[in-house]
Amino acid sequence: MSTSTKALQNSIITDIQLAPEGHLKIDWVRAHMPVLNRIREQFEAEQPFKGLKVTISLHLEAKTAYLAKVIQAGGAEVTITGSNPLSTQDDVCAALVEDGITVFAKYNPDPVEYKQLLIHALETKPDLIIDDGGDLITILHSERPDLRSQVRGGAEETTTGILRLKSLEKEGQLAFPMVAVNDAFCKYLFDNRYGTGQSVFDGINRTTNLVVAGKTVVVAGYGWCGKGVAMRAKGLGAQVIVTEIDSIKAVEAYMDGFSVMTMEEAAKLGDIFVTVTGNRDIIRGEHYDVMKDGAILSNAGHFDIEVNKPELAVRSANIRTVRRNIEEYKLNDGRSIYVLAEGRLVNLAAGDGHPAEIMDMTFALQAMSLKYVNDRYQDLGQHVTNVPYELDEQVARLKLESLGMRIDTLTEEQKKYLDSWQEH
């Protein structure tokens, strides 16, 4: 039986007939991911995952699909599922199945089916995992610990997942090592900042078809993602307000030229809101009470809990879909507030996510981190582990090479100078 036939028999997807369009999407991103292409060549030669099963839970679109193919090229039997109900692209799923990868994913499954698809992916009993947001980890450490017997370790993509991992580690319950890919320089400096900044407004602009220039954009959270969103909003001509709970980050936002205030104050002024905190109830009842008619709410944090929809719903006389990925909440007093992509990740649920060149670096880190865990899992212990600097630096070096750029190196005299403590 061919690998594609086996994958088709085992997979749960929407329609295999959608595969041709999915292949075109994957081919396009592959042409714009030179770092991952170099790693694929290395993996094909070395076969670091030969005989191993790898289960991946990420936003299942073309760039993720190519990462799965790179892991497969390293000898792995790959199973993949989504990490968000609205970010899965059915044509990409079909293309992966044709390429021999087992897929358990559909666009917009209900919550029960979504959870079951995750469990199906884990029932393959993987040796290694890649997670995004900690859903796989949570299942393996709560209701299905029987599925983790073979897991050597894995890598986590995002802030939310790392928070969950560190909570498990703190309680002494983490069962295997996990690499915190999100905390690597080449992740947060480029993916979180430039990737999120661009892709958030790709999603907002594509969905609303409205101008950003002249509007007031409220950015909740000034971590690396918030920095990117604020920078891009300013570049598009918006007045930008930042809300924060961290005094140091608030001063940084002020020094970067943005207004800083509480959400209670900002709620009265904002035209477009973007939450990027990873926490819940960032925009809630008392904020809706003072918002402008026509305010637009969006979220770029992992889960759909930053914009409190239940508290908005109870204030509404009517809720309707006015455009794809735009829900209008008609308030009892006649005002309208619009929520994009059901409050889920606006850049993925209402767009294609980060640019391919950005995810090239992030997914290169994922691939190399997975190899790192597999090579050292017996020594790493049951801990959350940072990406080694040498892997981070290697990704940056490969990126520079792909751009045709070179940088200086220290001379021996310069090295001696830096290593010496004596007076010079």
Side-chain angles (χ1 to χ4, degrees), residues 100-119:
I101 291 174
T102 300
V103 180
F104 296 106
K106 295 179 178 180
Y107 174 76
N108 201 22
D110 64 49
V112 173
E113 185 180 16
Y114 173 73
K115 179 75 166 293
Q116 195 57 48
L117 291 169
L118 293 170
I119 293 172

Side-chain angles (χ1 to χ4, degrees), residues 174-198:
L174 186 62
F176 41 77
M178 291 289 293
V179 177
V181 171
N182 184 76
D183 292 349
F185 289 105
C186 283
K187 173 65 164 64
Y188 64 76
L189 288 177
F190 309 118
D191 178 315
N192 291 8
R193 178 166 49 170
Y194 296 105
T196 304
Q198 178 169 323

Side-chain angles (χ1 to χ4, degrees), residues 77 108 126 161 168 200 226 258 330:
E77 180 182 328
N108 201 22
L168 277 169
V200 160
F258 304 120
K330 194 73 170 179

Side-chain angles (χ1 to χ4, degrees), residues 116-243:
Q116 195 57 48
L117 291 169
L118 293 170
I119 293 172
H120 281 316
L122 289 171
E123 285 175 339
T124 60
K125 294 193 174 179
D127 300 285
L128 299 163
I129 64 171
I130 294 177
D131 207 358
D132 186 347
D135 282 347
L136 295 183
I137 284 288
T138 300
I139 292 169
L140 289 172
H141 286 78
S142 56
E143 59 206 88
R144 295 302 302 272
D146 58 301
L147 299 177
R148 72 183 191 215
S149 59
Q150 289 182 221
V151 178
R152 298 179 176 184
E156 167 58 49
E157 172 77 4
T158 196
T159 305
T160 299
I162 291 172
L163 290 172
R164 299 169 93 176
L165 285 171
K166 288 185 176 178
S167 178
L168 277 169
E169 181 185 34
K170 184 178 179 181
E171 295 176 10
Q173 295 187 42
L174 186 62
F176 41 77
M178 291 289 293
V179 177
V181 171
N182 184 76
D183 292 349
F185 289 105
C186 283
K187 173 65 164 64
Y188 64 76
L189 288 177
F190 309 118
D191 178 315
N192 291 8
R193 178 166 49 170
Y194 296 105
T196 304
Q198 178 169 323
S199 65
V200 160
F201 281 99
D202 286 346
I204 291 172
N205 294 342
R206 175 192 299 188
T207 302
T208 64
N209 195 32
L210 299 176
V211 71
V212 177
K215 289 189 170 66
T216 297
V217 174
V218 178
V219 180
Y222 204 65
W224 287 103
C225 292
K227 289 181 178 69
V229 173
M231 176 172 46
R232 287 293 166 256
K234 182 179 181 180
L236 288 167
Q239 304 296 316
V240 181
I241 296 171
V242 171
T243 70

Side-chain angles (χ1 to χ4, degrees), residues 278-336:
N279 207 340
R280 63 176 303 123
D281 303 330
I282 305 306
I283 302 178
R284 53 188 183 271
E286 62 266 32
H287 306 136
Y288 304 135
D289 292 341
V290 298
M291 280 184 178
K292 295 179 181 180
D293 181 25
I296 296 169
L297 312 183
S298 65
N299 169 50
H302 187 79
F303 291 116
D304 60 336
I305 57 174
E306 301 205 23
V307 176
N308 188 315
K309 293 184 293 181
E311 291 189 6
L312 182 55
V314 299
R315 288 167 167 75
S316 301
N318 184 51
I319 304 170
R320 63 174 183 146
T321 300
V322 294
R323 186 178 167 97
R324 179 177 169 84
N325 283 318
I326 304 180
E327 291 176 300
E328 178 193 40
Y329 287 76
K330 194 73 170 179
L331 302 186
N332 294 322
D333 62 9
R335 288 176 297 134
S336 291

